[in-house]
Amino acid sequence: MRHLTLLSGVDPAHPLDALFVNAPLRDYTERPRTNDYTLPVLGMAYIATYAKHAGFNVAVLDAEAYGLGIAETAKIVNDVRPRWVGMNLLAPTYEMSARIAAQLDPGIAVMVGGHHAKALPTRILADPRMRNVRALVIGEGELRVAALLEDEQRRRELPQVMWRDPLLGTTGTGVADAKTQALMLGPDINALPYIDRVFLPQDPYRAAPSVTDRRLAASRCAAWLTDAARHGHVEANIVGSRGCPYNCGFCGAAWSANPDVKIRVRSPENIIGELDALHAAHGVTAFRFVDDLFLGVREVIYEHMQAFTDHRIGDRYVWDATGRINILDRLRDEDLDILVANGLREVALGIESGSDRMLKAMDKRINADMTERVTRRLLERGIGVKGYFILGYPGETREDLDATVRHIRNLWDIADHNPGGIRASVFEFRPYPGTPVWKTLTDAGHDPDALLAYGDVDLTQDGAHESMRQRDEFNFSVGIQFGDVPLHEIRSTLAMLTREQHERNQAGGLGVAA
């Protein structure tokens, strides 16, 4: 019975066609987790939802959300014995996924996908622990996964689906005509069903009230906002687009790493329909857009904000989104005011560094002055900012690192004099296969095996601890010094900034930065 309670979306009355497994970040039998929130696996939920609509009995086992160990995860899969197991392969969790796959009953077919599968398909198919893989799906999987569940032999006609012949040791790849390939690799995202939240054990969720919520309640005098200020919003994560036109050196979504991905944005009506559906079904009043483009293209912003205004979204909901600094810098003051009126609560910005030299090396198309200008304009309007920063990027000097520390403290000072707040999330650089910087590093002679040796970052010796961060999804390192500053100094700086942000959160009631 415990197994069934962990399988999100399963119909226990019928055989299980597929179980999609999100591997844990660590083997939690060795060290229990400290945080109680994980990012929802939206991509996996999209695939499960589409398969369910196609008539298949599918479920999701989010081993990370439940803090499961490797052996327990494999045992659950073997006990429920689905026809297929699907796994999303990510660089930091690949080893966990491979160890789970190695323990699965050979009678269970395995399909894999995700950024890591796309970046290193032949390496994965050659891994003896992945011997049960019968389909490696590169790119967006909804249509092709459903086709595989219907008939495994269809893999020969499915584009960008690979497999390894266990007898001959050769690799096969599906072939399709141009029309089928375009449809399969870039489905119409407005035609896809909304994510069935039954597949997400921690989304929607009740979030603790923040200073931003209380400020919004005071300024807008809306009853539902006042209630949210007291008790917190019911929040949900949502995707508004797929693909990215930018080429940040460290990012797996960079356009140079994804030439097959057609950039698509959901229509305003389609997005608003999902907002209203989530509100009706779950009482959701706060949304987080986690894709790159919602506040990353001016034309998209104008189109969506007009629709949000027409539907009075700002009177009913609040929302957060990722944003591009260079795009926000070009918006007029009245454009930012419209965003506020339409419910914008916080923007996540990839600030990354306070050094213009490093920002150029990352191909960010921004500079520190631009970041300061955009942050100030947002904070003046009460819009919160969540800034991401990378320490230890290849080529970083001590002067570059010091510039980033000064930049963060300068942004904190700006926040102290404005209605909006800022949260600084600081991470140590780690390379991901398939990113532009990965090729730079391997061309320079770095061993791919060493670049893939992800391990925990232990900040406790520097006075920080994981409970300060609450979410440690990205708290990994490969233990290599890529810039001029020694690794222990990078981590000491990271711990210092994390501790200072934590203290600011506690003093200002902002919760925990993540």
Side-chain angles (χ1 to χ4, degrees):
M1 291 299 297
R2 168 173 162 76
H3 290 180
L4 290 178
T5 62
L6 297 178
L7 304 187
S8 301
V10 67
D11 179 357
H14 297 90
L16 191 58
D17 292 301
L19 178 58
F20 301 103
V21 177
N22 183 43
L25 286 160
R26 303 177 178 89
D27 189 341
Y28 290 114
T29 57
E30 298 177 357
R31 177 170 68 85
R33 66 182 310 139
T34 59
N35 59 310
D36 59 2
Y37 176 85
T38 61
L39 297 176
V41 284
L42 298 181
M44 185 171 278
Y46 259 113
I47 291 171
T49 299
Y50 190 86
K52 179 180 178 180
H53 276 247
F56 298 104
N57 182 24
V58 300
V60 170
L61 173 60
D62 193 339
E64 171 60 21
Y66 289 121
L68 303 180
I70 300 303
E72 183 178 9
T73 302
K75 185 178 187 304
I76 292 171
V77 177
N78 288 331
D79 286 350
V80 299
R81 198 169 179 79
R83 287 197 296 121
W84 284 89
V85 166
M87 307 182 81
N88 58 328
L89 304 183
L90 305 174
T93 60
Y94 176 74
E95 281 300 308
M96 301 296 104
S97 298
R99 288 167 59 188
I100 292 170
Q103 297 182 39
L104 296 183
D105 187 305
I108 300 174
V110 176
M111 66 174 73
V112 297
H115 281 296
H116 199 67
K118 183 173 188 176
L120 301 172
T122 55
R123 181 187 179 104
I124 292 166
L125 290 175
D127 188 335
R129 297 171 296 179
M130 290 292 185
R131 60 187 177 274
N132 291 336
V133 171
R134 305 240 278 268
L136 184 149
V137 182
I138 296 175
E140 299 170 34
E142 288 91 351
L143 277 64
R144 287 172 294 164
V145 168
L148 287 166
L149 294 182
E150 179 183 346
D151 181 1
E152 180 184 338
Q153 297 308 311
R154 289 194 60 189
R155 65 186 182 179
R156 300 183 181 279
E157 62 189 55
L158 300 175
Q160 296 299 303
V161 171
M162 300 176 64
W163 64 92
R164 189 173 183 83
D165 188 301
L167 298 178
L168 301 177
T170 57
T171 299
T173 304
V175 178
D177 59 68
K179 182 178 180 180
T180 301
Q181 178 160 316
L183 173 64
M184 290 284 185
L185 299 183
D188 179 357
I189 57 175
N190 288 307
L192 295 175
Y194 298 147
I195 289 178
D196 189 335
R197 302 284 159 160
V198 72
F199 295 117
L200 298 174
Q202 290 187 304
D203 191 279
Y205 60 98
R206 172 73 69 174
S210 69
V211 169
T212 301
D213 288 327
R214 292 195 288 273
R215 288 169 176 163
L216 288 173
S219 64
R220 298 180 187 176
C221 300
W224 68 269
L225 277 172
T226 303
D227 182 71
R230 291 197 304 267
H231 306 295
H233 286 281
V234 176
E235 303 198 4
N237 288 266
I238 189 171
V239 175
S241 66
R242 295 189 182 182
C244 181
Y246 296 97
N247 204 44
C248 300
F250 52 84
C251 183
W255 64 261
S256 65
N258 301 278
D260 57 314
V261 175
K262 179 182 178 182
I263 296 173
R264 287 145 295 148
V265 179
R266 292 172 62 186
S267 71
E269 293 74 17
N270 188 261
I271 290 175
I272 292 170
E274 185 168 15
L275 304 188
D276 290 342
L278 284 167
H279 176 66
H282 304 284
V284 178
T285 53
F287 302 89
R288 177 182 293 183
F289 291 90
V290 297
D291 52 294
D292 298 304
L293 289 185
F294 198 71
L295 294 179
V297 176
R298 275 189 297 180
E299 292 74 15
V300 172
I301 295 173
Y302 293 151
E303 180 185 12
H304 285 73
M305 288 308 100
Q306 182 59 59
F308 274 32
T309 299
D310 294 343
H311 288 268
R312 300 177 58 248
I313 294 299
D315 293 335
R316 300 186 285 139
Y317 310 132
V318 294
W319 48 277
D320 310 332
T322 54
R324 291 292 308 190
I325 293 169
N326 55 331
I327 298 301
L328 294 173
D329 189 50
R330 298 173 198 161
L331 294 184
R332 303 164 298 180
D333 286 347
E334 51 265 42
D335 297 329
L336 295 180
D337 293 338
I338 290 172
L339 288 170
V340 173
N342 279 323
L344 177 59
R345 181 177 60 173
E346 183 179 73
V347 181
L349 300 176
I351 302 173
E352 316 307 356
S353 177
S355 162
D356 289 349
R357 191 182 74 85
M358 294 312 301
L359 291 171
K360 184 176 181 180
M362 297 175 184
D363 199 9
K364 285 294 297 182
R365 306 186 193 180
I366 61 174
N367 57 51
D369 287 343
M370 186 188 298
T371 294
E372 180 178 323
R373 185 166 59 245
V374 167
T375 300
R376 186 185 300 275
R377 294 176 69 204
L378 294 172
L379 298 180
E380 287 173 346
R381 290 164 172 78
I383 300 172
V385 171
K386 179 179 179 180
Y388 292 104
F389 298 86
I390 297 174
L391 307 184
Y393 196 79
E396 185 179 63
T397 65
R398 188 174 302 279
E399 289 74 20
D400 297 322
L401 177 63
D402 291 343
T404 297
V405 174
R406 289 195 303 271
H407 194 46
I408 292 173
R409 289 177 172 160
N410 185 45
L411 296 177
W412 280 339
D413 182 66
I414 293 172
D416 289 341
H417 296 85
N418 282 288
I422 184 167
R423 301 183 292 160
S425 290
V426 188
F427 302 103
E428 178 185 325
F429 168 75
R430 59 269 175 187
Y432 292 136
T435 60
V437 76
W438 177 272
K439 186 176 187 306
T440 300
L441 292 172
T442 54
D443 286 350
H446 281 278
D447 180 6
D449 289 334
L451 296 179
L452 292 170
Y454 302 97
D456 295 353
V457 175
D458 183 7
L459 302 178
T460 55
Q461 63 183 1
D462 296 299
H465 52 85
E466 287 179 272
S467 60
M468 284 185 182
R469 302 171 66 88
Q470 187 170 347
R471 308 178 199 175
D472 52 9
E473 288 91 341
F474 307 107
N475 196 17
F476 287 91
S477 169
V478 295
I480 298 174
Q481 178 181 326
F482 293 102
D484 292 349
V485 183
L487 202 55
H488 71 90
E489 294 186 26
I490 291 290
R491 292 179 179 173
S492 178
T493 304
L494 194 159
M496 174 187 68
L497 294 169
T498 300
R499 184 171 57 253
E500 291 182 19
Q501 179 64 71
H502 176 71
E503 292 168 354
R504 288 177 57 84
N505 294 345
Q506 297 305 303
L510 282 172
V512 179

